[in-house]
Amino acid sequence: MKILIAASEAFPFCKTGGLADVTGALAQVFARTPDAEVVLFLPRYRNVGGGAFSPKACGGSFLIPVGNRVETATMSRVQWGKAAVYFIENPKYFDRPGMYRTAAGDYEDNDERFLFFSRAVLEGAKFIGFKPDVIHCHDWQTGLVPAYLRTLYRIDSFYAKTASVFTIHNIAYQGMFPKETLLKAGFTWLDFTPEKLEYYGGVNYMKAALAYADLITTVSPTYASEIQYRPEFGHGMEGLLKHRTSDLFGILNGIDEEIWDPATDTFLERGYELKSFQRGKAACKKALQKELDLEENKDLILAGVVSRLDHQKGLDTLLRVAPEFADKMQFVVLGSGDPGLADGFTALAAANPKRVAFRSGMDEALAHKIYGAADIFVMPSRFEPCGLSQMISMRYGTLPVVTRTGGLKDTVFYNGEPKDSNGFAIDHADEGQLRSVLGHIVSLYGWRENWNLMVRNAMRGDYAWHKSAEAYIKLFNIAIQRRQL
Ligand code: ADP
């Protein structure tokens, strides 16, 4: 099976969040599947891969129409394990300080940047002679690929048998643009109808994919249901998704169990596994307390956060509740994003210097240290398509404290019985509920036998990719068969 993955980010080349972890991992697990040939297409952003890779120019170029102009695309390639990675290059669009935005906001030409990328993926595959059986697209940035396949490329024999599968990682980000984008993208007014590309008078890239992809997936079974039946989760797409309900599947993400392995993690003060987690985590806690100038006390519960700072993540509730617990717990927060939340955590740390540490920005090493050192990981998301951090935490024996939504509900089990629980859960990102569960945690921490039972449950969980990869391959086969008919 020839699989082309089109994505706007993939770890370790370019990353702003969990999307990159997932696309990177999928490229690798698909490539290890017998009989699969995998190519991954990414934009060539500035400093891709942080200099760790040296993509080689493919030679030659091709033109992509953008409105009544043409823009030039070149490509470069790097072999990454069994997958080939192709970068679509156009310095005007991609050689910029940020991937999607600057501190001032989204780039104003994101419509052009990603219609260019989506079309360049289709032209690029032809350029290298890779005729995919299936194109797997991810989130709005590649939402036009399924739409192009069934409109402009409908009569292109190269793609006559190519199926498209679109994965929703976060439906809150849709790529909504004015109607003029329709012509820039090369569509016609015939395509500007509510069944096709039109959305409230504009063009919506996510909707385009939901209308045209052969199959749609999202990253957890619970989120698949929430986005169809609860408007506050569906962000306007619930009608279309319900219409396509028989083509929509929830497949849980996994984590890379090599990168996230407490036994071999070189960022940790001391590696550990199921049998040795008590000593291992104690050493990691001590080292992190020292590094961040917190009180060195093994008996204080250490609560960790590694997150985008965004309303979605519900950390404003933590900000309001944490001061009440600063005499009983420590908080280590690593996050980047919303300046208001960052200011809030900075002030909280200043008011409680030995109990609260806040670090702003992306920091891979510190993230690993927090997962290793913390006793609990706080993730009270308002919605969470899948969430990776709670699975990473559990693998590191750090009990997640989550809301019962999306993938959090599908991975964290808490019913008050330690023997059946692998973390803690509340119904909503609500101050009262968070206060109450943290209070419960403080008292339970004294009952080490029960606590350790939960830690073992968490560490024993299977968070690997293999089951999900099998589910995707099955769906790819269904989509491919449908195109043969
Ligand atoms: P989302 O994709 O919504 O940001 P996920 O839980 O799915 O949330 O994935 C987040 C990923 O990004 C995890 O691997 C997490 O460790 C990582 N991450 C988030 N913020 C940071 C940060 N400030 N520094 C390092 N890693 C981070």
Side-chain angles (χ1 to χ4, degrees):
M1 183 189 296
K2 287 189 161 164
I3 304 169
L4 188 162
I5 301 174
S8 59
E9 52 183 281
F11 183 81
F13 304 101
C14 38
K15 166 168 169 171
T16 66
L19 168 65
D21 293 317
V22 175
T23 52
L26 285 178
Q28 288 302 311
V29 288
F30 291 161
R32 287 198 288 265
T33 306
D35 302 326
E37 198 182 327
V38 177
V39 301
L40 166 65
F41 275 75
L42 294 169
R44 177 97 188 235
Y45 302 110
R46 183 176 295 177
N47 195 24
V48 75
F53 298 88
S54 313
K56 299 267 176 309
C58 294
S61 63
F62 48 92
L63 299 175
I64 301 294
V66 177
N68 48 20
R69 313 189 307 273
V70 284
E71 297 288 345
T72 304
T74 55
M75 291 209 301
S76 52
R77 176 190 193 282
V78 72
Q79 189 66 31
W80 179 44
K82 289 189 167 166
V85 184
Y86 286 91
F87 296 96
I88 299 288
E89 301 173 335
N90 177 301
K92 183 178 84 175
Y93 288 137
F94 300 125
D95 186 7
R96 299 186 184 183
M99 285 164 53
Y100 312 122
R101 59 199 320 266
T102 62
D106 289 347
Y107 291 127
E108 283 187 4
D109 60 350
N110 272 346
D111 60 341
E112 269 189 38
R113 298 173 73 225
F114 290 102
L115 73 83
F116 171 85
F117 176 65
S118 295
R119 208 156 165 185
V121 165
L122 293 173
E123 290 300 325
K126 283 184 172 179
F127 190 72
I128 59 169
F130 184 86
K131 193 186 274 202
D133 296 303
V134 60
I135 303 186
H136 188 190
C137 306
H138 299 267
D139 271 355
W140 72 263
Q141 292 88 344
T142 53
L144 291 188
V145 174
Y148 279 138
L149 276 178
R150 301 291 159 254
T151 54
L152 297 185
Y153 289 77
R154 198 183 55 236
I155 49 165
D156 188 324
S157 60
F158 191 82
Y159 287 115
K161 296 250 155 80
T162 301
S164 63
V165 174
F166 180 76
T167 297
I168 304 165
H169 295 262
N170 192 340
I171 210 163
Y173 303 97
Q174 299 185 348
M176 179 72 193
F177 302 106
K179 65 175 187 293
E180 288 70 29
T181 297
L182 184 88
L183 301 182
K184 273 195 217 167
F187 297 108
T188 69
W189 292 113
L190 289 177
D191 303 313
F192 198 62
T193 67
E195 297 74 44
K196 295 179 177 172
L197 295 172
E198 191 266 343
Y199 185 77
Y200 289 101
V203 177
N204 180 313
Y205 285 15
M206 169 87 58
K207 187 210 161 161
L210 302 183
Y212 283 104
D214 292 310
L215 292 177
I216 303 163
T217 76
T218 188
V219 290
S220 69
T222 295
Y223 194 59
S225 157
E226 286 171 343
I227 56 179
Q228 292 178 74
Y229 299 106
R230 302 194 40 196
E232 71 274 28
F233 288 90
H235 290 267
M237 295 296 144
E238 53 281 3
L240 178 53
L241 288 168
K242 260 185 281 185
H243 176 68
R244 298 216 56 192
T245 191
S246 59
D247 299 327
L248 170 62
F249 300 85
I251 303 177
L252 211 51
N253 286 334
I255 55 171
D256 186 322
E257 293 203 319
E258 280 173 29
I259 297 175
W260 300 110
D261 182 355
T264 56
D265 191 329
T266 50
F267 291 116
L268 300 189
E269 179 69 14
R270 176 183 183 145
Y272 58 91
E273 52 192 3
L274 196 59
K275 275 185 274 172
S276 54
F277 76 85
Q278 283 165 285
R279 262 176 300 149
K281 287 190 75 66
C284 292
K285 186 192 246 185
K286 191 165 185 227
L288 189 65
Q289 286 170 330
K290 189 161 187 217
E291 178 178 337
L292 299 178
D293 203 18
L294 294 168
E295 178 186 328
E296 287 178 47
N297 180 342
K298 67 178 173 27
D299 296 320
L300 276 176
I301 298 179
L302 181 65
V305 172
V306 179
S307 182
R308 286 187 292 119
L309 298 179
D310 186 288
H311 188 67
Q312 171 192 344
K313 300 290 179 182
L315 293 168
D316 47 315
T317 54
L318 178 65
L319 198 49
R320 286 191 293 274
V321 171
E324 300 164 38
F325 287 87
D327 59 336
K328 307 175 193 72
M329 300 170 76
Q330 284 179 330
F331 296 89
V332 174
V333 179
L334 167 64
S336 67
D338 183 343
L341 282 170
D343 289 349
F345 281 112
T346 304
L348 185 69
N352 304 276
K354 290 289 167 187
R355 293 295 170 96
V356 182
F358 172 61
R359 293 292 180 275
S360 154
M362 293 295 285
D363 187 336
E364 206 64 30
L366 183 57
H368 282 251
K369 291 177 191 172
I370 294 174
Y371 288 119
D375 298 293
I376 60 171
F377 187 89
V378 188
M379 198 171 175
S381 304
R382 293 191 163 83
F383 65 92
E384 195 59 72
C386 179
L388 299 174
S389 301
Q390 85 280 13
M391 293 192 271
I392 299 172
S393 302
M394 289 192 280
R395 187 147 160 77
Y396 280 66
T398 302
L399 298 178
V401 181
V402 303
T403 36
R404 290 189 180 92
T405 184
L408 299 176
K409 190 172 169 187
D410 294 330
T411 53
V412 178
F413 307 106
Y414 172 61
N415 64 2
E417 280 288 333
K419 72 174 176 29
D420 302 323
S421 304
N422 58 8
F424 303 92
I426 55 179
D427 287 329
H428 303 289
D430 168 274
E431 258 174 74
Q433 292 185 22
L434 186 60
R435 182 178 297 115
S436 146
V437 75
L438 289 181
H440 173 60
I441 286 168
V442 170
S443 57
L444 188 77
Y445 194 62
W447 298 82
R448 280 310 165 90
E449 260 177 49
N450 281 335
W451 188 273
N452 291 342
L453 195 60
M454 289 176 69
V455 170
R456 285 191 198 97
N457 287 344
M459 290 184 77
R460 279 199 189 106
D462 179 2
Y463 311 111
W465 270 107
H466 54 101
K467 270 186 289 179
S468 324
E470 278 168 27
Y472 277 112
I473 298 284
K474 245 188 219 163
L475 284 186
F476 291 170
N477 275 315
I478 293 172
I480 292 165
Q481 272 163 19
R482 283 199 196 171
R483 300 261 23 120
Q484 312 291 324
L485 298 177

